[in-house]
Amino acid sequence: MEFPTWTASSNSAVRRHLTPEVFEQLKDTKTARGTTLKDIINSGVVNQDSSIGVYLGDEESYSAFSALINPIIEGYHQGYKVTDTHPADFDPSHLDAPNPDADAKYIISTRIRVARNLKGYGLTPTLTKEERTEVEKKVVGVLEGLGGDLTGKYYPLTGMDDATAQQLIDDHFLFKKGDRFLEAAGINREWPEGRGIFHNDNKTFLVWINEEDQLRIISMQKGGDMGAVFSRLATAVNELSDKLGFQYSSNLGYLSSCPTNLGTGMRASVHIRIPNASAHADFKKICDDNQIQARGIHGEHSESAGGVYDISNKRRLGQSEVQCVQDMHKGVVKLIELEKSLEK
């Protein structure tokens, strides 16, 4: 393996931290599953416009390639040291987040998701076809046993008919084959085998199986009742954890193929209509002060439409699940206060 050639415009985390010295230290390292340095950095080398540029193949990769990965983790999750202990708290009774918009004037919807991966398997870049199918079978077995408002149905991508696919598209539930970053990481292999979508009958609970992570577990509903959304998610995640077991480190929290999703693996967000607040000079400062980030409703790097923004927690590692939602709630309260003051 030779040291990568970088373009002049490349400014990814992997380019900044893969020094010649680190490269020499790690170039011959291989985990028990066969993950190498070349595998981990391939996405960033192929896609030189990456912001991070690494995808890890298995749990052992975090220790085997720590000379490269630890600085990337600490650079992204600012203020956290990999020697710190990550706190966990998924107890809804500990959350103080009353609906900040009871009249439904500003908040359109609330969505909270977590990323999880099963113990005893590689992360998605190294899953074999057989392992991916086995993960799918295990997860679906647990999901189909859920009761109450989590009761639902699984829709495998393999063999999906057009009518079902169109309904899932209309519901904004269907996920597509991964982008060029995931492709270069090996996450799209044998697409769409072993992948699918589970959702409950009320369409407020959704699980993506074997997308970027083995599980993306999502709770959502119209309006701003963050407590209800969090409680539903906690019930499902705790049940899945008890039955399946997830990869977890006391220092890094729940493990993921991408280091940005470490810790809680949580993204708690609202779609909110704030045309005045978003145009105010203090908008970015309020977001930064409250550890939230704003983006367009069509994903990262998208523009706002009609003053509607996606507002989410910024911190994942070093914060418990309850704290992540608390961050988001506090920031949203401040933005609604500003919006109201500017309407007068």
Side-chain angles (χ1 to χ4, degrees):
M1 180 185 180
E2 296 182 357
F3 191 78
T5 300
W6 304 106
T7 62
S9 60
S10 175
N11 190 37
S12 64
V14 67
R15 181 187 181 173
R16 293 194 303 273
H17 295 291
L18 186 66
T19 63
E21 293 77 18
V22 171
F23 176 80
E24 285 300 319
Q25 179 184 341
L26 300 178
K27 66 179 183 179
D28 297 321
T29 300
K30 182 183 288 191
T31 69
R33 284 186 67 88
T35 300
T36 65
L37 178 64
K38 183 178 181 180
D39 297 327
I40 286 175
I41 69 172
N42 190 63
S43 186
V45 173
V46 172
N47 302 288
Q48 302 238 343
D49 57 340
S50 297
S51 58
I52 302 297
V54 296
Y55 287 90
L56 287 88
D58 47 51
E59 187 170 352
E60 186 188 348
S61 297
Y62 277 98
S63 56
F65 300 97
S66 60
L68 170 64
I69 301 304
N70 285 354
I72 291 176
I73 292 171
E74 294 182 351
Y76 182 85
H77 301 276
Q78 293 186 1
Y80 191 84
K81 298 295 183 184
V82 295
T83 52
D84 293 345
T85 299
H86 172 76
D89 183 2
F90 223 137
D91 186 340
S93 70
H94 295 165
L95 180 67
D96 180 20
N99 189 343
D101 182 30
D103 296 330
K105 183 178 179 181
Y106 306 101
I107 299 176
I108 299 165
S109 61
T110 302
R111 181 181 187 269
I112 308 175
R113 65 85 166 159
V114 294
R116 295 288 187 268
N117 293 279
L118 272 60
K119 282 182 184 175
Y121 292 91
L123 295 167
T124 45
T126 66
L127 281 182
T128 66
K129 182 178 178 180
E130 293 72 25
E131 287 173 327
R132 194 181 302 109
T133 302
E134 191 175 304
V135 167
E136 177 191 34
K137 185 176 179 181
K138 283 185 175 181
V139 173
V140 171
V142 175
L143 290 172
E144 290 182 337
L146 296 176
D149 73 342
L150 299 177
T151 302
K153 182 179 177 182
Y154 179 63
Y155 302 87
L157 295 193
T158 304
M160 182 178 289
D161 62 74
D162 292 342
T164 300
Q166 188 58 53
Q167 183 59 58
L168 291 169
I169 290 170
D170 293 344
D171 290 330
H172 305 289
F173 288 175
L174 190 66
F175 64 87
K176 301 175 182 178
K177 190 174 184 178
D179 58 22
R180 58 190 170 92
F181 302 95
L182 301 184
E183 178 70 37
I187 292 173
N188 290 343
R189 284 181 293 107
E190 294 102 24
W191 181 271
E193 291 287 333
R195 299 166 172 96
I197 297 144
F198 176 94
H199 71 74
N200 67 342
D201 298 337
N202 296 332
K203 298 184 178 180
T204 57
F205 171 65
L206 174 69
V207 180
W208 288 353
I209 298 179
N210 288 323
E211 190 234 9
E212 182 174 339
D213 286 285
Q214 292 170 19
L215 295 179
R216 285 288 170 99
I217 311 166
I218 306 160
S219 176
M220 61 211 160
Q221 68 187 52
K222 299 293 184 185
D225 192 344
M226 301 174 195
V229 175
F230 184 76
S231 182
R232 183 187 307 113
L233 181 66
T235 299
V237 171
N238 290 333
E239 179 77 9
L240 288 164
S241 179
D242 289 345
K243 298 283 178 61
L244 298 168
F246 297 135
Q247 294 185 35
Y248 186 83
S249 156
S250 61
N251 301 118
L252 302 180
Y254 291 97
L255 300 185
S256 170
S257 57
C258 181
T260 66
N261 274 320
L262 292 171
T264 60
M266 175 176 282
R267 186 173 189 276
S269 64
V270 296
H271 282 181
I272 185 170
R273 191 177 288 106
I274 44 171
N276 298 300
S278 59
H280 193 274
D282 288 341
F283 179 57
K284 185 178 186 303
K285 183 177 187 302
I286 290 174
C287 290
D288 289 344
D289 288 350
N290 289 278
Q291 298 292 335
I292 56 175
Q293 56 189 120
R295 67 188 194 186
I297 61 172
H298 299 297
E300 198 170 3
H301 310 307
S302 67
E303 296 296 319
S304 168
V308 177
Y309 279 82
D310 178 299
I311 302 292
S312 66
N313 63 299
K314 190 182 291 184
R315 299 182 288 188
R316 295 193 180 106
L317 182 58
Q319 298 285 108
S320 72
E321 290 79 2
V322 167
Q323 289 170 319
C324 286
V325 180
Q326 207 72 63
D327 274 356
M328 191 262 286
H329 179 269
K330 183 181 175 185
V332 167
V333 167
K334 292 289 186 185
L335 290 174
I336 291 176
E337 286 175 356
L338 178 60
E339 185 69 22
K340 286 180 177 178
S341 72
L342 295 171
E343 290 172 346
K344 296 174 183 176

